[in-house]
Amino acid sequence: MKTEGYAEYMIERYILMFGEQRTLELLKAFQKPPVQSLNINTTNTSIEALVERMERKGFHLEPVPWCNTGFWIYDIRGFNKELDMGKVSTFNLSPGATHEYLQGFYSLQGASSMLPPVLLDPKPGDEVLDMAAAPGSKFVQMAQAMKNRGLIVGVERSLERMPALKANVQRCGVTNSVLICNDSRYLGEQFLSFGKILLDAPCTGEGLIGSDPTRKNSRSVGDIETMMNIQVQMLEQAITLLASQGRLVYSTCSMAAEENEHVVTKILNNHKNISVVKPPEDIASMFDHGMQETMGAKFNPALKNAIRIFPYNHETRPEGFFAVILEKT
Amino acid sequence: MGKKNYETKRPSKDYETKRPSRDYETKRPPKDMKRLFKGDVGVEVKERGFEGESDGEGESIPERESHWIEFANKEQKDLVHQELNQFSNNDEAWQKLVVKGDNNVLLYTKGANTSIYLMPREAKDRFKVLMGNPGLRHFGLYLGNFKGTQFNLSMEGMSELVKAGGVSSNWVKLNEDGEKSFLYGQDIKKEDLQAVSARGITHDRGICIVMNAMGECLGIGKLEADDHTLRRVSDTDVLVSNIVDKGMYLRNQDKT
């Protein structure tokens, strides 16, 4: 079998996890990068104003249906919605170098990665923790939903990634944040408790193969196991910091069940006061749902309420993603 | 005779960390800091390094510089207030940023640098816990820093001030070409200018807010021309030099 540059174990695992037909669809979708997307910072501008300004600069914006501030970016010249939604445009001016970007009117953000903050649904006045905050697009998305009210704390382990996080926070005018450089696994019980926590955990990142083909063979099965152990530790810490009645969104951009359903099942087994919350039906219906068993492993039945984004779920080929809402009773 | 020292009374206990965890080391500020700021409460924190920074095998984790956070005292707040007043009429800037924004004014000292941050009052109790964290890297709105007893507004502070509609003096507006070149770090010439605030640049150090034609903050400039109204100037002279501009978000984003 031709593996098209994929490490052999990956294709085998995909077939075992998703079946032949879905694996073919997945590999086909991974052959082209996702359509570029942005998230409008509504604390600095309005959606209408930015759409108009971007059009004047040659960018056409099409709404992302699962995030009301999210838009895909196309070259405005000759754009035809019926034909061109899957088209990857090339631009004379990079969307990451416009004056509007520098003014913090938007962040460049993968359409899939807009989903976890939407599921967490932070509101003005909330107290929110982002346990792996850099480079900050989801962090800023949550802060804008909070309208700079309440408190949002971003924790990032890597000192090297802090400048990008801080620059995004400052550029986008987030004024209710605290940024801490620390390993989220070791925040300890003395840290604050939060009503809303986002854990977009570090992962093997298989869902990003469309935009970064080096990931076809840059990870090993051993890496999956390593990441899984880290994810369990981080999620355990998140549960400790979650307030009673609090909501936690766990997400990764990995396709591996070990980093997703397995991690969450382990936590559900360890904590009887944690339950899975059903996501809004209009969002869940756009994607696949979590697996209940694969490769001989059975997961918690409630994981049917987890969301799995496959690049073939939409013609824009969003990055592969997993997200689940957990609640503490 | 040296510069006047701040007269610091004991700040309110609101930001005082009573029982720091064992990771934190609370003590009186070092002598050199006391020369400017006499406050002896607050929290000083030794920042820990992380494994990735050590020379090898994670054996020696370096200790970084400590920081110190406390309420700004009246004199420090007055200096901030005075600087804000140079950009607005009738106290508007202070009112919009601090009073209506319902913010606490906090003083952050790290090494020789002393900065002012605004933090929402509603987050006070939570922040009291977080301010002692050795990994703290940023909080609230970075409003600016002190050089001696002189307060300099930051670009983020200027930007918030413009967004809040608190600016009426000491500004220049650039045309489209001027905006582009300023964001590339260039100085401002006559051909870049679209408008100047009514009385020209009257700031005591020649500082001005640089905006685009739509009134959005692009950065901070400093008057270089002899004529503060920028009317009697030559086409080729630099009128306003670029102190900082928003293009730095791209230029600096990978720097640590």
Side-chain angles (χ1 to χ4, degrees):
Chain A
M1 184 180 166
K2 246 176 103 179
T3 56
E4 300 287 352
Y6 284 87
E8 261 183 50
Y9 82 91
M10 289 175 76
I11 309 274
E12 284 172 26
R13 283 168 46 83
Y14 287 159
I15 293 171
L16 286 170
M17 282 192 290
F18 313 130
E20 275 188 29
Q21 184 56 38
R22 288 166 78 200
T23 299
L24 282 173
E25 286 182 56
L26 176 65
L27 298 183
K28 192 177 162 195
F30 272 156
Q31 284 177 341
K32 281 175 78 178
V35 175
Q36 203 170 2
S37 47
L38 59 81
N39 185 48
I40 298 178
N41 182 1
T42 47
T43 50
N44 282 357
T45 187
S46 69
I47 289 174
E48 298 74 22
L50 187 77
V51 167
E52 198 187 316
R53 282 176 72 153
M54 293 299 276
E55 285 194 349
R56 283 206 300 271
K57 296 199 165 173
F59 301 101
H60 173 73
L61 302 184
E62 275 292 325
V64 173
W66 54 89
C67 175
N68 58 16
T69 51
F71 289 82
W72 284 292
I73 318 167
Y74 299 94
D75 186 342
I76 203 165
R77 289 168 297 182
F79 177 79
N80 180 328
K81 191 174 176 180
E82 300 300 314
L83 303 173
D84 294 336
M85 282 295 284
K87 189 172 158 186
V88 178
S89 301
T90 50
F91 305 103
N92 293 332
L93 172 65
S94 163
T98 67
H99 296 186
E100 287 73 15
Y101 176 82
L102 295 177
Q103 290 291 348
F105 291 170
Y106 64 86
S107 297
L108 294 175
Q109 186 177 358
S112 296
S113 81
M114 296 172 192
L115 183 65
V118 168
L119 295 178
L120 191 64
D121 193 24
K123 300 264 194 286
D126 278 350
E127 285 155 354
V128 178
L129 172 67
D130 183 345
M131 292 180 69
S137 51
K138 287 184 271 294
F139 187 83
V140 168
Q141 186 186 348
M142 293 192 286
Q144 79 189 44
M146 295 165 72
K147 301 186 191 302
N148 272 332
R149 299 286 314 281
L151 179 70
I152 179 164
V153 178
V155 179
E156 172 55 46
R157 180 183 186 277
S158 163
L159 190 64
E160 287 69 35
R161 299 183 76 188
M162 285 305 287
L165 173 60
K166 192 173 157 185
N168 271 327
V169 163
Q170 291 188 314
R171 179 180 62 83
C172 292
V174 175
T175 57
N176 62 333
S177 71
V178 174
L179 302 181
I180 289 172
C181 186
N182 211 337
D183 189 327
S184 286
R185 290 175 292 174
Y186 311 120
L187 291 173
E189 289 176 10
Q190 302 304 317
F191 206 69
L192 295 168
S193 66
F194 292 84
K196 288 183 179 167
I197 297 178
L198 174 66
L199 173 54
D200 183 48
C203 65
T204 55
E206 283 176 57
L208 308 177
I209 285 173
S211 48
D212 179 12
T214 63
R215 289 175 190 261
K216 285 178 178 179
N217 53 22
S218 60
R219 302 283 193 278
S220 67
V221 179
D223 290 329
I224 295 178
E225 195 183 347
T226 303
M227 294 318 299
M228 182 185 77
N229 290 332
I230 292 170
Q231 289 150 357
V232 169
Q233 287 176 310
M234 291 180 88
L235 195 46
E236 283 286 359
Q237 177 71 85
I239 298 296
T240 306
L241 301 177
L242 188 64
S244 182
Q245 313 303 321
R247 175 179 276 215
L248 188 161
V249 169
Y250 173 79
S251 62
T252 75
C253 55
S254 169
M255 312 298 293
E258 291 90 336
E259 298 182 69
N260 298 315
E261 286 89 346
H262 179 80
V263 167
V264 179
T265 296
K266 200 161 182 176
I267 294 298
L268 292 173
N269 290 344
N270 290 350
H271 301 273
K272 297 302 169 201
N273 59 343
I274 299 294
S275 56
V276 175
V277 176
K278 204 173 172 182
E281 187 54 37
D282 57 334
I283 290 177
S285 63
M286 294 181 214
F287 308 110
D288 285 30
H289 50 73
M291 291 188 284
Q292 293 186 55
E293 58 180 304
T294 189
M295 297 185 285
K298 287 198 172 179
F299 305 124
N300 190 303
L303 280 161
K304 66 176 186 295
N305 288 321
I307 289 177
R308 268 185 172 268
I309 303 181
F310 285 90
Y312 61 71
N313 284 141
H314 196 273
E315 57 203 308
T316 57
R317 299 173 302 281
E319 288 156 340
F321 233 83
F322 172 90
V324 63
I325 309 170
L326 302 174
E327 199 170 68
K328 197 178 206 176
T329 50
Chain B
M1 192 173 152
K3 281 183 180 173
K4 181 175 176 266
N5 285 346
Y6 293 122
E7 194 180 310
T8 312
K9 288 179 186 166
R10 190 178 173 85
S12 145
K13 285 188 175 177
D14 280 347
Y15 278 92
E16 195 178 343
T17 302
K18 286 173 189 161
R19 270 185 170 272
S21 84
R22 57 186 172 173
D23 284 338
Y24 315 142
E25 193 182 324
T26 303
K27 57 184 180 186
R28 297 168 73 90
K31 272 185 180 174
D32 58 341
M33 197 188 302
K34 285 183 74 179
R35 273 190 313 170
L36 278 179
F37 301 108
K38 288 180 179 171
D40 61 354
V41 295
V43 57
E44 189 197 13
V45 179
K46 289 272 186 214
E47 295 176 5
R48 279 176 294 141
F50 293 94
E51 281 174 45
E53 292 178 277
S54 61
D55 294 333
E57 310 300 316
E59 284 169 1
S60 61
I61 294 179
E63 197 174 70
R64 297 201 213 101
E65 229 167 3
S66 59
H67 64 239
W68 177 267
I69 302 171
E70 62 188 312
F71 272 125
N73 64 28
K74 185 179 179 306
E75 194 166 351
Q76 293 150 0
K77 281 201 275 193
D78 284 348
L79 289 169
V80 175
H81 202 145
Q82 281 166 25
E83 181 65 14
L84 287 172
N85 278 350
Q86 302 213 47
F87 299 97
S88 70
N89 295 326
N90 305 322
D91 214 25
E92 207 179 357
W94 176 266
Q95 287 295 324
K96 288 199 169 173
L97 272 187
V98 181
V99 181
K100 285 185 188 157
D102 203 19
N103 285 310
N104 281 136
V105 183
L106 298 178
L107 192 74
Y108 176 87
T109 308
K110 186 174 181 179
N113 300 316
T114 305
S115 312
I116 289 286
Y117 284 78
L118 299 184
M119 193 69 196
R121 218 175 281 271
E122 64 181 343
K124 185 179 69 182
D125 290 340
R126 314 279 288 176
F127 186 61
K128 269 162 61 182
V129 179
L130 296 170
M131 65 189 267
N133 194 297
L136 183 75
R137 285 293 176 279
H138 175 77
F139 56 93
L141 171 69
Y142 168 53
L143 192 63
N145 66 356
F146 280 105
K147 291 257 169 70
T149 53
Q150 171 190 303
F151 180 70
N152 303 301
L153 264 169
S154 69
M155 187 167 65
E156 290 73 33
M158 288 276 195
S159 209
E160 282 303 307
L161 193 57
V162 172
K163 260 190 342 193
V167 172
S168 48
S169 321
N170 290 314
W171 54 261
V172 295
K173 279 187 183 176
L174 307 185
N175 56 34
E176 206 172 313
D177 287 343
E179 174 180 3
K180 201 182 225 175
S181 97
F182 186 75
L183 288 174
Y184 276 109
Q186 304 296 310
D187 295 331
I188 299 167
K189 294 183 175 172
K190 191 175 182 181
E191 61 190 9
D192 302 322
L193 274 184
Q194 188 180 70
V196 183
S197 49
R199 285 182 293 158
I201 311 299
T202 55
H203 186 282
D204 56 13
R205 281 173 284 123
I207 302 297
C208 62
I209 301 178
V210 181
M211 297 190 275
N212 64 10
M214 285 174 281
E216 294 156 353
C217 179
L218 302 174
I220 302 173
K222 186 174 188 306
L223 180 72
E224 298 292 346
D226 293 335
D227 175 22
H228 75 277
T229 65
L230 302 181
R231 289 195 188 111
R232 295 177 296 277
V233 288
S234 80
D235 290 344
T236 53
D237 286 350
V238 169
L239 308 186
V240 174
S241 58
N242 180 326
I243 293 180
V244 64
D245 67 87
K246 288 196 171 177
M248 77 157 194
Y249 289 132
L250 290 182
R251 297 194 293 270
N252 290 357
Q253 68 183 1
D254 295 325
K255 289 185 190 168
T256 51

